């Protein structure tokens, strides 16, 4: 059971920005986590498009949280970042190879129900909740 | 968000056996679903090992449900079939590349909580629940 690296990196960016309370570049975020700048930049683009992050370009540019961490739901972020990736199993993909029993299968709806329970749990958790330990996060992110 | 093809095929085998109320070979199950015999055989091996399915070898051999469909929890099957695949994100893999904030990250526990909600939803759903429409399932599985 997996969620995408894209969702993972989007959440890492938000955690970084909430912990730092400051402007940060995609490059510095990628460096702190030891992950690809290119992937961070792509996730940052998504976060800007969805209104979670604001940014300025240029040498002194960077990004910051566009709204308070209390108002950013982890569930809402993941629902959006997983939007093209909601097919738990092959038969749920629109372009997927169709299973013989699709028209009458009751397993698919059970799986969808379980997936909704997954997202619902995260709907109630805010970015502020997962970054309430800012000093500890900062000590690891800004150590170098 | 995905679960493995292995889980998918394991569940398809159980649905087939519950719908047929009969002995079936891995070959006939693979043929009915239009999927790889090799993958069905591997999933069947897992189901035997876990006591969901009984089987005899040989020309006239085949497999059947080792217990009533009412006693087979979809959640229990998926928990077991996803056992080596529970890492929702990279940092949850024991051999995964460690994220800088692992020791203090509160997102990981939020994700684990959501994953538990996913499995819990399926714990209460039995194989009998998802195959209560046997005639409809049969008409699609045994049409050819």
């Amino acid at each position: 059971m997996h969620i995408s690296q894209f969702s993972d990196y989007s959440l890492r960016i938000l955690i970084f920005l909430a912990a730092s309370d400051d402007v940060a570049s995609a490059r510095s975020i990628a460096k702190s986590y030891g992950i690809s700048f290119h992937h961070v930049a792509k996730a940052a683009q998504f976060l800007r498009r969805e209104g979670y992050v604001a940014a300025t370009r240029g040498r002194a540019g960077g990004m910051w949280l566009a709204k308070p961490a209390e108002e950013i739901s982890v569930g809402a972020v993941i629902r959006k970042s997983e939007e093209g990736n909601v097919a738990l199993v092959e038969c749920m993909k629109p372009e997927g190879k169709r299973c013989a029993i699709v028209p009458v299968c009751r397993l698919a709806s059970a799986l969808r129900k379980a997936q909704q329970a997954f997202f619902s749990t995260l709907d109630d958790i805010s970015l502020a909740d997962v970054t309430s330990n800012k000093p500890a996060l900062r000590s690891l992110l800004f150590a170098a």
Side-chain angles (χ1 to χ4, degrees), chain A:
Chain A
M1 190 177 174
H2 301 296
I3 59 172
S4 65
Q5 190 188 62
F6 184 77
S7 294
D8 183 7
Y9 286 9
S10 298
L11 291 163
R12 291 202 208 184
I13 294 171
L14 291 174
I15 289 172
F16 187 103
L17 296 174
S20 75
D21 275 332
D22 202 358
V23 175
S25 67
R27 208 163 287 283
S28 66
I29 295 172
K31 202 180 158 201
S32 284
Y33 284 115
I35 58 181
S36 144
F37 161 71
H38 176 73
H39 289 145
V40 169
K42 269 196 74 172
Q45 213 169 21
F46 155 76
L47 293 170
R48 273 178 63 186
R49 202 171 54 235
E50 296 301 326
Y52 292 116
V53 155
T56 50
R57 291 184 177 276
R59 219 187 149 79
M63 63 188 115
W64 60 92
L65 287 186
K67 44 183 149 184
E70 288 75 15
E71 292 173 21
I72 297 178
S73 149
V74 171
V77 174
I78 299 191
R79 278 176 195 270
K80 204 74 197 174
S81 59
E82 290 290 301
E83 214 163 54
N85 192 33
V86 287
L88 263 176
V89 284
E90 183 68 22
C91 68
M92 293 182 182
K93 293 182 194 160
E95 81 290 3
K97 200 174 168 233
R98 302 305 274 175
C99 174
I101 57 170
V102 159
V104 302
C105 184
R106 292 179 176 172
L107 177 64
S109 62
L111 290 172
R112 277 195 197 91
K113 201 176 144 193
Q115 196 172 32
Q116 284 315 312
F118 176 88
F119 287 129
S120 294
T121 305
L122 297 172
D123 283 343
D124 297 334
I125 299 173
S126 75
L127 180 60
D129 293 329
V130 295
T131 57
S132 55
N133 55 343
K134 282 186 191 183
L137 286 165
R138 279 184 190 146
S139 73
L140 293 174
L141 285 170
F142 313 133

